[in-house]
């Protein structure tokens, strides 16, 4: 049985995200590089249901290229409702958590949902667990491939947690994931959810700014 896992990436710098657009890829800290390459766990693992939650702490600050196309308008957002009750439940839990911390609720984007749904499904299909897929695409690349307004996004991943509440708790208990969920600058979110043939659940959140 695979272990339950929790994973976070952000393609932004909270204090100056616009300045990061011209920097290319940057990996924050040699320790994070080591964890990404070796799969080491974060200090202190979480009990999640009957499984142990391991953490891959390769939080990346990904600056995209200059002249990143930013499109305004409804087509690249597709603001709407989550497509299943599980997506809806995780979306509501996320916004409830933000409200408890005095933050504005996030707006649901069907484009971001399609992006993260496809990624959590792909992780099972191609047997990997990472923000970077086997084709080398990062979360921003995938968001733009699915037609989102820009590629400046953050992403949380988890696998093995059996309920929405357990997935949320695992993210809350991990500082990097919690930072993504409580980032005040985010405006949009899409939820990802997939159950493989063995019943193992994959979870995801893709967050996005509304860049000018």
């Amino acid at each position: 049985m695979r272990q339950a896992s929790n994973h976070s990436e952000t393609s932004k710098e909270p204090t100056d995200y616009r300045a990061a657009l011209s920097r290319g890829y940057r990996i924050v800290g040699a320790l994070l590089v080591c964890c990404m390459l070796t799969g080491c766990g974060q200090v202190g693992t979480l009990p999640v249901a009957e499984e142990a939650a391991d953490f891959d702490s390769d939080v990346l600050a990904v600056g995209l290229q200059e002249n990143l196309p930013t499109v305004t308008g409804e087509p690249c957002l597709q603001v709407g409702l989550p497509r299943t009750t599980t997506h809806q439940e995780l979306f509501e839990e996320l916004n409830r958590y933000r409200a408890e911390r005095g933050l504005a609720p996030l707006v649901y984007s069907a484009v971001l949902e399609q992006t993260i749904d496809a990624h959590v499904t792909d992780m099972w299909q191609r047997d990997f667990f990472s923000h970077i897929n086997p084709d080398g695409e990062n979360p921003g690349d995938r968001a733009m491939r699915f037609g989102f307004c820009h590629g400046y996004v953050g992403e949380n991943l988890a696998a093995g947690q059996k309920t929405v509440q357990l997935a949320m708790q695992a993210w809350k208990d991990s500082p990097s994931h919690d930072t993504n969920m409580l980032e005040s600058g985010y405006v949009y979110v899409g939820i990802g959810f997939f159950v493989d043939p063995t019943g193992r659940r994959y979870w995801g959140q893709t967050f996005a700014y509304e860049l000018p």
Side-chain angles (χ1 to χ4, degrees):
M1 178 183 293
R2 295 179 181 178
Q3 288 185 311
S5 303
N6 199 35
H7 202 127
S8 168
E9 177 176 277
T10 177
S11 60
K12 53 83 181 176
E13 294 181 3
T15 58
D16 190 9
Y17 59 88
R18 292 179 183 85
L21 293 176
S22 63
R23 295 177 187 167
Y25 286 97
R26 281 198 307 113
I27 298 181
V28 183
L31 176 60
L32 301 185
V33 178
C34 177
C35 286
M36 180 176 67
L37 296 177
T38 64
C40 63
Q42 188 176 22
V43 175
T45 56
L46 296 175
V48 178
E50 298 84 15
E51 305 177 58
D54 287 339
F55 294 91
D56 294 322
S57 301
D58 55 335
V59 181
L60 307 184
V62 180
L64 304 179
Q65 299 298 314
E66 288 188 7
N67 304 316
L68 176 72
T70 299
V71 182
T72 59
E74 199 68 19
C76 69
L77 296 174
Q78 295 183 27
V79 171
L81 298 174
R83 69 179 181 85
T84 72
T85 55
T86 301
H87 288 75
Q88 178 73 31
E89 185 180 359
L90 184 48
F91 175 54
E92 291 175 353
E93 286 290 330
L94 172 62
N95 271 341
R96 184 177 298 114
Y97 183 47
R98 287 174 62 88
E100 290 170 355
R101 299 299 188 275
L103 298 172
L106 297 173
V107 177
Y108 202 79
S109 165
V111 178
L112 291 179
E113 180 189 81
Q114 292 162 16
T115 301
I116 189 64
D117 258 353
H119 185 60
V120 295
T121 304
D122 188 36
M123 287 196 299
W124 169 71
Q125 290 175 333
R126 294 198 277 179
D127 193 23
F128 72 98
F129 186 80
S130 175
H131 298 290
I132 309 299
N133 69 19
D135 302 318
E137 290 183 320
N138 65 51
D141 296 329
R142 294 192 299 274
M144 294 188 69
R145 175 162 59 85
F146 275 85
F148 191 67
C149 314
H150 55 77
Y152 212 52
V153 304
E155 181 179 86
N156 282 350
L157 298 175
Q161 293 83 2
K162 298 181 185 300
T163 67
V164 164
Q165 290 74 25
L166 288 172
M168 279 292 296
Q169 192 61 52
W171 284 327
K172 290 177 184 179
D173 290 341
S174 169
S176 58
H177 302 79
D178 198 49
T179 295
N180 264 346
M181 293 194 294
L182 298 180
E183 165 56 47
S184 62
Y186 284 140
V187 177
Y188 303 105
V189 71
I191 300 299
F193 177 64
F194 175 73
V195 183
D196 75 13
T198 71
R200 179 178 172 81
R201 290 162 171 79
Y202 295 77
W203 310 89
Q205 300 168 320
T206 296
F207 309 90
Y209 293 106
E210 183 155 52
L211 295 181

